[in-house]
C-alpha cells in the first residue's frame, strides 16, 4: 500500500486496563508530531478542552483515572515513552470511560472497522509491506496480504457510509476525525460555493462538526494559514472551542446556523466585485466573524434579557447586548488560544476591533441605520472598494445578508430554518408566560403562526436588504436569491390560505353540528358560529396587522435571526 495512505487504522488494544487507539501516519507527519513534542506546554493550557498533552503518564496509557482527559474535547495526546502505540486522536464528542471504551456525549458517531497493528515498532518497514498484519483477536501476527488489507479498508469505508445513509444505530460508537470523514463530506466541500449547499446534510456527514470542518477548510483554501502563519493546532483548538460555545439545545442559534452563515459569507466574498477587491485580512476577518457572530447565544432575544434584568443587559447598558457578548466571547477565545499571539500587539488589537465591528453590524435593531447608509452609497455611486473603510462596510453588509439569508435559500432548506427559528421564538414566549412576563412580539404561539411570522419578516426585513444588495452586486447569485425569496414568500402565503380555509371549514362544520342538535340548550347557542367567525377573520387579517407595523425595531427584535 502506498505511503500516502491517510485512512485511519484503528483497533482497541488492552494494556494496563486502558484502551489504546493505534493508527499509522506518513513518515513526514510522524516527524512533524515528534518535532511538536519538544515544545513546552503551559500547565493552564493542559487544563482546558482542546489542549495538547504530551504526558507520558497520561491516563489513556495506564494511569488509574482516564476521565482526566474527558473534558479536553479536541485534545491531542502523545505518549513519547510508549514504544508500541502512538495516540493522536481528536476526541470530538466522546468521553473516555475506563475499561469500556468510548461512549457518545450527544451526537451520533460511527465506528470504524477494527484492524490490529501490533508491529508498529517491531520493524522498520510498515506492516503492510511484509504482509504480517495480525487480525483482531489473534494472539500472534499472521500473514495478511496487501490485497486483503485494501479490501478491509474498502469495506470499512463502505460500512461507515452505508450505515450513515441508513441511519443505523451502532453499539460501539466511536468518532474519529479523519481528514475527509468518509469522503462524502469532502465531496460536499468541493461544492461549498453553491447556493443550494445543504448544511444540514453536511452537519450529519461531519458528525455534528460542520462549523469546525467548514471554517477550517475555507481558511485553508484561501491559503490564510500560511499567509498569516497561523499555528494549525491553535486554529483547530480555537474552532473546536467556538463550536462548543454554541448552545446545541438552541433550535436555531446553534453551531449549524453559524456554519450556514459562514458558507453564505463565502458565497458573497466570491462575488466578482468582492473577489477582486478584498484583501487577505478582509477574507480572514469575514470568515471568523461569520463563524463567531452568534457565539454563546442564549436562545432568547435582547428584550428578554432587558426585561429580566440579565447581567449582560446591565453590562452593555441595553445596547446591542447579544452582539457585544458574541464579540467579547470571540475575543476571549482568540486570546485564550493565542491564535494571533505571534502578530504584533497593535495588529492583533486592530483585528479584534474590526472583528467586533463586523459582529456588531448584525444587530437587527440597527437594520434601518445600515440599510439607509447602504442605499445612500448606491444612490450616489460613491462606493470605492480600494478604500479600506468602504471594503469594511461592504463586509458588514455581506455579513448582515448572510445572517438573514435563510428566506433566500431553496424552499427545502428555508422551510427547515423557519421551523427552527419559530420553535425558538415560541419557546421564549412559553418562558415569558411561565414567569408572568409580557410576551415579546411574535413569540406567542397562540396569536402568531409560522406563516405570518415568515411573511412579515420577508416583507419588512429581508426584501429591502437583498434588493439593495442586488443593486450593488447584480449577479446570477443575487437574482437566484431574490427568486427564491419570492417563491418562498408565495409558498408561505399558500400555506396560510390553506390554514385559514381549513379553520373556516372546521367552524362551519361545528356550526352545522350545533344546529342539528335537538336539545333546547343548543337552540340558545345557535348564534355561536356567528360570534366565532370573527376570530377566524382575525386570524386571516394577522398579515395586515403585521404589515402595519412600520417600526422595524419591533419586528426584528421579535424575529431576530442574528
Amino acid at each position: 500500500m502506498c505511503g500516502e495512505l491517510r485512512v485511519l487504522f484503528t483497533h482497541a488494544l488492552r494494556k494496563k486496563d486502558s484502551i489504546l487507539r493505534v493508527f499509522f501516519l506518513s513518515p513526514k507527519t510522524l516527524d512533524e508530531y515528534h518535532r511538536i513534542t519538544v515544545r513546552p506546554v503551559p500547565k493552564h493550557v493542559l487544563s482546558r478542552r482542546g489542549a495538547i498533552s504530551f504526558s507520558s503518564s497520561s491516563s489513556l496509557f495506564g494511569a488509574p483515572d482516564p476521565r482526566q482527559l474527558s473534558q479536553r474535547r479536541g485534545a491531542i495526546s502523545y505518549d513519547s515513552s510508549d514504544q508500541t502505540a502512538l495516540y493522536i486522536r481528536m476526541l470530538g464528542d466522546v468521553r473516555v470511560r475506563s475499561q469500556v471504551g468510548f461512549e457518545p456525549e450527544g451526537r451520533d458517531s460511527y465506528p470504524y472497522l477494527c484492524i490490529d497493528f501490533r508491529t508498529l515498532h517491531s520493524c522498520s518497514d510498515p506492516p503492510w509491506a511484509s504482509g504480517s498484519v495480525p487480525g483482531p483477536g489473534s494472539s500472534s501476527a499472521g500473514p495478511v496480504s496487501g490485497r486483503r488489507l485494501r479490501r478491509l479498508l474498502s469495506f470499512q469505508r463502505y460500512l461507515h457510509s452505508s450505515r450513515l445513509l441508513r441511519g443505523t444505530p451502532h453499539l460501539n460508537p466511536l468518532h474519529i476525525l479523519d481528514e475527509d470523514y468518509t469522503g462524502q463530506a469532502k465531496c460536499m466541500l468541493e461544492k461549498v460555493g453553491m447556493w443550494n449547499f445543504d448544511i444540514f446534510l453536511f452537519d450529519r456527514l461531519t458528525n455534528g462538526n460542520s462549523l469546525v470542518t467548514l471554517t477550517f477548510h475555507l481558511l485553508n483554501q484561501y491559503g490564510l494559514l500560511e499567509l498569516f502563519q497561523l499555528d494549525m493546532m491553535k486554529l483547530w483548538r480555537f474552532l473546536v472551542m467556538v463550536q462548543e460555545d454554541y448552545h446545541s439545545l438552541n433550535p436555531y442559534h446553534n453551531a449549524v446556523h453559524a456554519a450556514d452563515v459562514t458558507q453564505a459569507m463565502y458565497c458573497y466574498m466570491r462575488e466578482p466585485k468582492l473577489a477582486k477587491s478584498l484583501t487577505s485580512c478582509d477574507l480572514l476577518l469575514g470568515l471568523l466573524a461569520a463563524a463567531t457572530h452568534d457565539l454563546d447565544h442564549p436562545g432568547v432575544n435582547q428584550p428578554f434579557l432587558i426585561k429580566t434584568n440579565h447581567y449582560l443587559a446591565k453590562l452593555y447598558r441595553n445596547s446591542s447586548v447579544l452582539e457585544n457578548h458574541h464579540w467579547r466571547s470571540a475575543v476571549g477565545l482568540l486570546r485564550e488560544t493565542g491564535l494571533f499571539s505571534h502578530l504584533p500587539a497593535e495588529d492583533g488589537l486592530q483585528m479584534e476591533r474590526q472583528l467586533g465591528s463586523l459582529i456588531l453590524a448584525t444587530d437587527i435593531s440597527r437594520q434601518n441605520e445600515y440599510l439607509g447608509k447602504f442605499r445612500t452609497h448606491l444612490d450616489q455611486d460613491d462606493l470605492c472598494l480600494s478604500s479600506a473603510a468602504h471594503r469594511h462596510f461592504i463586509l458588514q453588509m455581506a455579513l448582515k445578508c448572510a445572517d438573514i439569508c435563510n428566506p433566500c435559500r431553496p424552499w427545502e432548506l428555508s422551510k427547515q430554518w423557519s421551523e427552527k427559528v419559530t420553535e425558538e421564538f415560541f419557546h421564549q414566549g412559553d418562558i415569558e408566560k411561565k414567569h408572568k412576563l409580557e410576551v415579546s412580539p411574535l413569540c406567542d404561539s397562540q396569536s402568531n403562526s409560522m406563516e405570518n411570522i415568515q411573511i412579515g419578516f420577508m416583507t419588512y426585513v429581508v426584501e429591502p436588504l437583498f434588493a439593495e444588495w442586488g443593486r450593488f452586486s447584480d449577479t446570477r447569485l443575487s437574482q437566484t436569491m431574490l427568486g427564491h425569496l419570492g417563491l418562498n414568500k408565495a409558498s408561505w402565503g399558500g400555506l396560510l390560505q390553506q390554514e385559514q380555509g381549513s379553520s373556516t371549514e372546521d367552524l362551519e362544520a361545528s356550526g352545522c353540528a350545533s344546529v342539528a342538535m335537538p336539545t333546547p340548550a343548543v337552540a340558545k347557542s345557535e348564534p355561536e358560529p356567528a360570534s366565532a367567525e370573527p376570530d377566524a377573520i382575525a386570524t386571516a387579517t394577522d398579515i395586515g396587522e403585521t404589515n402595519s407595523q412600520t417600526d422595524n425595531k419591533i419586528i426584528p427584535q421579535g424575529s431576530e435571526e442574528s
Side-chain angles (χ1 to χ4, degrees):
M1 183 173 295
C2 65
E4 297 181 354
L5 180 64
R6 293 183 179 181
V7 183
L8 301 181
F9 305 96
T10 64
H11 181 61
L13 302 179
R14 294 196 175 276
K15 178 184 178 182
K16 298 181 181 180
D17 297 328
S18 65
I19 299 297
L20 304 182
R21 297 286 167 185
V22 182
F23 64 86
F24 285 96
L25 298 174
S26 65
K28 181 179 179 181
T29 308
L30 285 175
D31 293 341
E32 176 66 18
Y33 277 101
H34 279 293
R35 183 182 64 82
I36 294 176
T37 58
V38 303
R39 298 180 181 178
V41 182
K43 293 183 179 181
H44 74 276
V45 174
L46 299 177
S47 65
R48 177 65 193 261
R49 56 187 175 178
I52 303 176
S53 175
F54 307 111
S55 171
S56 59
S57 62
S58 170
S59 61
L60 290 173
F61 297 92
D65 186 10
R67 285 186 168 84
Q68 293 176 3
L69 197 59
S70 64
Q71 298 301 324
R72 293 214 307 273
R73 303 167 56 185
I76 294 181
S77 183
Y78 171 64
D79 190 343
S80 57
S81 66
D82 191 348
Q83 298 302 316
T84 61
L86 173 65
Y87 182 88
I88 304 177
R89 179 179 176 277
M90 304 307 295
L91 289 180
D93 289 335
V94 298
R95 292 195 180 192
V96 181
R97 185 171 59 182
S98 176
Q99 300 182 359
V100 177
F102 299 89
E103 60 181 359
E105 185 175 63
R107 303 183 179 96
D108 294 333
S109 52
Y110 306 94
Y112 276 65
L113 185 66
C114 292
I115 300 177
D116 188 359
F117 296 99
R118 300 185 181 181
T119 57
L120 180 60
H121 298 285
S122 61
C123 58
S124 59
D125 296 330
W128 57 82
S130 60
S132 58
V133 181
S138 60
S139 57
S140 60
V144 178
S145 66
R147 180 180 179 183
R148 181 184 177 188
L149 181 58
R150 287 191 293 271
R151 290 179 61 187
L152 286 173
L153 295 174
S154 300
F155 177 74
Q156 169 188 354
R157 284 295 178 98
Y158 167 76
L159 181 66
H160 189 165
S161 60
S162 61
R163 285 182 173 178
L164 179 63
L165 293 176
R166 294 197 308 267
T168 307
H170 308 287
L171 298 178
N172 182 29
L174 173 64
H175 169 66
I176 296 181
L177 186 59
D178 196 358
E179 176 187 278
D180 58 355
Y181 291 81
T182 62
Q184 298 166 340
K186 183 178 181 179
C187 291
M188 288 196 67
L189 285 176
E190 294 175 356
K191 302 179 180 180
V192 70
M194 300 183 65
W195 189 246
N196 61 350
F197 188 84
D198 190 343
I199 195 64
F200 298 108
L201 174 60
F202 184 73
D203 189 64
R204 292 193 293 271
L205 292 177
T206 56
N207 198 36
N209 292 290
S210 56
L211 181 58
V212 174
T213 309
L214 179 71
T215 309
F216 190 90
H217 170 78
L218 295 179
L219 292 172
N220 186 52
Q221 179 170 293
Y222 275 122
L224 299 176
L225 278 73
E226 296 80 5
L227 188 61
F228 288 92
Q229 299 181 350
L230 299 178
D231 186 281
M232 187 176 297
M233 294 297 110
K234 291 181 179 180
L235 175 61
W236 191 267
R237 182 179 174 227
F238 169 75
L239 294 177
V240 169
M241 293 168 66
V242 166
Q243 181 174 268
E244 289 179 346
D245 280 353
Y246 279 93
H247 301 188
S248 59
L249 295 181
N250 288 347
Y252 182 83
H253 290 102
N254 50 41
V256 183
H257 166 66
D260 183 64
V261 173
T262 304
Q263 189 269 337
M265 189 68 174
Y266 171 68
C267 292
Y268 298 151
M269 293 192 302
R270 293 176 71 235
E271 291 287 78
K273 281 189 175 182
L274 277 71
K276 66 182 181 181
S277 304
L278 295 180
T279 65
S280 298
C281 185
D282 295 331
L283 296 174
L284 178 62
L285 286 172
L287 292 175
L288 291 182
T292 60
H293 80 283
D294 274 333
L295 190 60
D296 197 31
H297 197 291
V300 293
N301 58 17
Q302 175 173 296
F304 181 89
L305 299 179
I306 294 175
K307 72 175 67 174
T308 55
N309 294 321
H310 196 274
Y311 76 94
L312 289 177
K314 297 180 179 179
L315 178 63
Y316 300 115
R317 300 179 180 180
N318 300 342
S319 176
S320 298
V321 176
L322 289 172
E323 289 72 27
N324 273 294
H325 178 59
H326 305 326
W327 168 37
R328 301 306 173 92
S329 299
V331 170
L333 294 185
L334 284 173
R335 294 183 179 181
E336 181 176 351
T337 57
L339 185 61
F340 295 151
S341 59
H342 62 288
L343 300 177
E346 183 58 32
D347 292 345
L349 291 176
Q350 179 66 14
M351 295 277 282
E352 292 176 356
R353 286 193 292 265
Q354 292 183 340
L355 181 68
S357 177
L358 291 175
I359 295 177
L360 289 174
T362 62
D363 186 353
I364 203 73
S365 66
R366 300 178 62 187
Q367 177 84 353
N368 288 339
E369 173 188 343
Y370 283 95
L371 186 58
K373 185 178 179 180
F374 193 29
R375 186 179 290 117
T376 300
H377 278 303
L378 295 176
D379 292 340
Q380 298 178 357
D381 194 21
D382 60 352
L383 278 174
C384 180
L385 295 185
S386 61
S387 167
H390 283 189
R391 288 198 310 272
H392 187 76
F393 176 70
I394 292 301
L395 277 180
Q396 289 177 319
M397 299 308 299
L399 184 57
K400 287 180 68 64
C401 289
D403 190 26
I404 61 173
C405 72
N406 302 145
C408 300
R409 296 281 191 179
W411 171 252
E412 295 77 12
L413 301 175
S414 178
K415 186 172 183 292
Q416 293 185 65
W417 286 119
S418 299
E419 292 170 349
K420 292 178 179 296
V421 73
T422 304
E423 179 184 353
E424 191 166 297
F425 289 165
F426 290 168
H427 178 66
Q428 175 180 326
D430 294 340
I431 296 176
E432 291 169 335
K433 291 179 182 178
K434 179 179 179 181
H435 295 281
K436 302 185 185 310
L437 300 172
E438 180 183 357
V439 180
S440 300
L442 306 182
C443 292
D444 191 349
S445 58
Q446 302 299 322
S447 59
N448 295 281
S449 67
M450 182 166 54
E451 294 82 2
N452 283 332
I453 293 174
Q454 289 305 308
I455 292 175
F457 182 69
M458 292 179 183
T459 301
Y460 289 100
V461 180
V462 182
E463 283 182 349
L465 178 61
F466 280 87
E468 300 303 323
W469 180 263
R471 289 179 58 195
F472 165 73
S473 178
D474 188 8
T475 61
R476 182 178 179 180
L477 175 59
S478 297
Q479 298 304 319
T480 299
M481 292 189 298
L482 291 173
H484 284 312
L485 179 60
L487 291 175
N488 293 338
K489 186 177 178 181
S491 298
W492 286 119
L495 292 176
L496 182 62
Q497 291 180 359
Q498 293 179 10
E499 180 184 352
Q500 294 170 356
S502 60
S503 60
T504 303
E505 291 176 359
D506 294 340
L507 287 174
E508 292 177 352
S510 61
C512 293
S514 61
V515 171
M517 293 296 289
T519 60
V522 175
K524 296 181 180 179
S525 61
E526 204 168 311
E528 284 186 2
S531 62
E533 189 173 356
D535 295 335
I537 297 176
T539 304
T541 57
D542 280 346
I543 299 181
E545 294 176 2
T546 304
N547 292 349
S548 65
Q549 296 177 359
T550 57
D551 185 2
N552 283 336
K553 292 185 179 180
I554 298 179
I555 294 178
Q557 286 179 351
S559 60
E560 178 179 293
E561 295 194 15
S562 60

